[in-house]
Amino acid sequence: MNNEHQNNTAQARLASGLRGLGGMDPGADFASCVMERIGSAAPLPLPKRRSERVLDWLARPRTVRVSPLAGLAAAACLLLSMGLLLKHDFGVGSQAPKGLVPVTFVLAAPSAREVAVIGSFNDWNAVGWTMTRDPSRGLWTLSSALPSGSHEYVFLIDGTTPVADVTAALNVDDGFGGRNSVLLVKSDHDSIL
Amino acid sequence: MTRFSRTLLVSFLLAIWLLAPFTAEAYRIESSLRQAQEDGRLTPEEAQGIQARIDQTREQGLPSAPFAAKVEEGLAKHVRAQAIIHALDVIRGDYVFARDTLRRNGVEPTPDDIVLTGDSLRLGLTRLELTAMADLNPPPPMLATAARTRAALNAIDFPVPLSDKIMRQGLSLGSLKPGWERLFRVVQRTREVGIPDVTVADAAARVLADGGSPAELLQELGLTGRDTRHEPDASK
């Protein structure tokens, strides 16, 4: 109610001022004068391209306000992802980092369409552990690098049939009525066996 | 930031860091079970039964990673759900027995010791043999080494009385250190060249009396350390 009254008063004062100006004539050359002034003015800068605007936005310093809870959550996510990255297993095709020992798996299975190695070293997951076939000899091979110690594994033929390695030093009960092969990977300091 | 806040923050981050592997493992197993249901390999009831076994191991304070791995193994091999559940129950029984036996001399075993000993029961060690070795009161890590060594010897049909002799010597003298798990490889090599098992057992007892390793046992038996049948880089 009070605002409306103030607006009305301001409008009445403005109308009264305008009436007080009387009948001023802008003159016949008013429009041309205006256009001349506009033409003589310095040109406005062109709008920046999108990439430049993004760069400006990134480069401009700004204050970011984060609650302690959000900060902790962000730090936790960062640590979690780092932890998962460090836990990541170095699989096939990786250059053997320090502590890992090169290993080659070989299986003779001429009639198999696809063979993979699954074991305790790859969480029994065949993804990325498919063997390569040598058609001339009917041999499937796979080279990788594993940490020293004892590992259990089998060959997975055509994605469904697990087969133990008959050339392994040891084959043991897998708890499901089948057999797992045991691979002893030697460390550098006990390579005598 | 006050000292209290800093301590709180560090504790929180440390807790997250320590729990991250368990969270990742739990997520992985849940994801595998869900995928198996979507593929029609497990019914919801079967998946729940498997998950319940995993939860049970955590509640019992047993290392849960081998159980999760066994589930992954079973799913990868297209094993029936009931066989997976049975395998988990057997492993749990083995681990509980292993933990109780390892605890007998009053020292709390590490999760690694429990896993090594528990898995040895699956690989061919009998509970009677484990108990007999525990009667010699070795520290948990040494008993775990003995369990794995003997399980592997059993798996290659090494005569039980000869295994008894070697284990008794190593455990009573405290010389059965990590590395002796590879004794079965020595036996396999000596068999290849025609050396009788009893000769290996006698030599092993002598080497253990001197605090030696399987490598020294090979030398004692007159074999070279390097297996010349394979290339230098060969690992098997």
Side-chain angles (χ1 to χ4, degrees):
Chain A
M1 191 73 176
N2 194 25
N3 284 345
E4 194 180 341
H5 175 69
Q6 282 180 352
N7 282 342
N8 289 341
T9 309
Q11 282 174 8
R13 202 178 297 140
L14 184 61
S16 165
L18 286 172
R19 275 194 297 273
L21 288 174
M24 288 179 66
D25 185 5
D29 60 343
F30 177 75
S32 60
C33 285
V34 170
M35 294 310 292
E36 192 182 343
R37 292 279 296 275
I38 290 172
S40 64
L44 289 170
L46 290 171
K48 287 184 175 179
R49 284 181 297 183
R50 183 187 292 271
S51 58
E52 287 173 329
R53 290 204 306 272
V54 170
L55 206 62
D56 283 352
W57 185 86
L58 289 172
R60 195 180 312 135
R62 64 192 67 239
T63 306
V64 180
R65 300 178 69 187
V66 180
S67 71
L69 193 63
L72 284 173
C77 287
L78 186 66
L79 274 176
L80 194 65
S81 53
M82 282 173 64
L84 290 174
L85 197 67
L86 288 174
K87 275 173 70 70
H88 183 263
D89 190 23
F90 290 92
V92 183
S94 304
Q95 190 179 4
K98 195 172 168 57
L100 297 188
V101 182
V103 174
T104 299
F105 297 95
V106 181
L107 174 71
S111 58
R113 291 191 305 276
E114 184 186 72
V115 182
V117 183
I118 55 172
S120 50
F121 41 80
N122 63 6
D123 295 330
W124 303 92
N125 189 346
V127 175
W129 290 79
T130 306
M131 301 178 83
T132 307
R133 187 181 186 192
D134 176 358
S136 61
R137 295 187 294 168
L139 291 179
W140 295 81
T141 59
L142 175 74
S143 294
S144 184
L146 299 177
S148 63
S150 176
H151 305 279
E152 290 185 33
Y153 69 100
V154 290
F155 298 113
L156 191 63
I157 297 179
D158 297 336
T160 54
T161 311
V163 173
D165 186 352
V166 291
T167 67
L170 205 58
N171 283 299
V172 295
D173 179 16
D174 69 352
F176 305 123
R179 308 289 286 176
N180 281 344
S181 301
V182 176
L183 171 62
L184 280 180
V185 177
K186 303 170 295 188
S187 60
D188 291 341
H189 62 272
D190 63 4
S191 60
I192 196 149
L193 274 176
Chain B
M1 195 180 274
T2 64
R3 174 179 279 190
F4 176 75
S5 302
R6 272 203 303 271
T7 309
L8 195 68
L9 178 63
V10 168
S11 307
F12 179 77
L13 294 177
L14 195 63
I16 289 290
W17 176 257
L18 292 173
L19 288 173
F22 300 104
T23 312
E25 179 195 297
Y27 174 77
R28 201 179 67 225
I29 200 71
E30 275 176 28
S31 167
S32 297
L33 291 175
R34 200 180 313 117
Q35 185 64 48
Q37 286 181 73
E38 286 170 9
D39 295 346
R41 286 186 285 149
L42 290 180
T43 65
E45 291 75 24
E46 289 169 340
Q48 279 171 13
I50 292 172
Q51 185 65 58
R53 261 61 176 196
I54 303 273
D55 295 341
Q56 232 172 356
T57 63
R58 291 201 186 101
E59 286 161 15
Q60 288 184 297
L62 296 170
S64 59
F67 293 86
K70 189 50 78 176
V71 175
E72 300 277 10
E73 180 186 345
L75 293 174
K77 291 179 174 177
H78 297 261
V79 172
R80 285 181 303 107
Q82 284 311 311
I84 295 176
I85 290 172
H86 174 71
L88 294 178
D89 288 340
V90 170
I91 296 175
R92 188 157 52 91
D94 286 346
Y95 279 24
V96 168
F97 186 83
R99 182 179 61 185
D100 294 347
T101 309
L102 288 164
R103 272 179 181 163
R104 275 177 44 178
N105 66 359
V107 181
E108 190 63 25
T110 65
D112 284 348
D113 292 337
I114 296 171
V115 171
L116 193 62
T117 309
D119 285 348
S120 299
L121 291 168
R122 175 172 59 87
L123 300 184
L125 179 73
T126 67
R127 293 188 176 192
L128 209 59
E129 288 169 339
L130 180 60
T131 307
M133 292 192 294
D135 287 343
L136 297 169
N137 286 320
M142 190 170 290
L143 182 54
T145 299
R148 177 52 64 96
T149 306
R150 187 153 192 173
L153 290 175
N154 287 353
I156 60 167
D157 297 322
F158 194 73
V160 171
L162 299 182
S163 289
D164 269 339
K165 177 182 178 177
I166 297 170
M167 294 301 117
R168 191 165 290 278
Q169 179 81 323
L171 292 174
S172 57
L173 296 175
S175 54
L176 197 73
K177 295 180 177 138
W180 277 95
E181 304 97 326
R182 292 179 171 80
L183 177 59
F184 80 96
R185 293 288 290 142
V186 176
V187 174
Q188 287 178 324
R189 288 191 60 190
T190 54
R191 283 176 175 174
E192 284 169 4
V193 296
I195 297 175
D197 288 347
V198 67
T199 306
V200 179
D202 288 342
R206 282 197 301 274
V207 170
L208 282 165
D210 292 339
S213 67
E216 281 149 342
L217 173 59
L218 276 176
Q219 290 165 3
E220 172 86 10
L221 292 164
L223 298 170
T224 60
R226 173 152 297 286
D227 186 345
T228 51
R229 292 170 307 150
H230 299 291
E231 293 173 19
D233 280 348
S235 57
K236 283 197 295 185

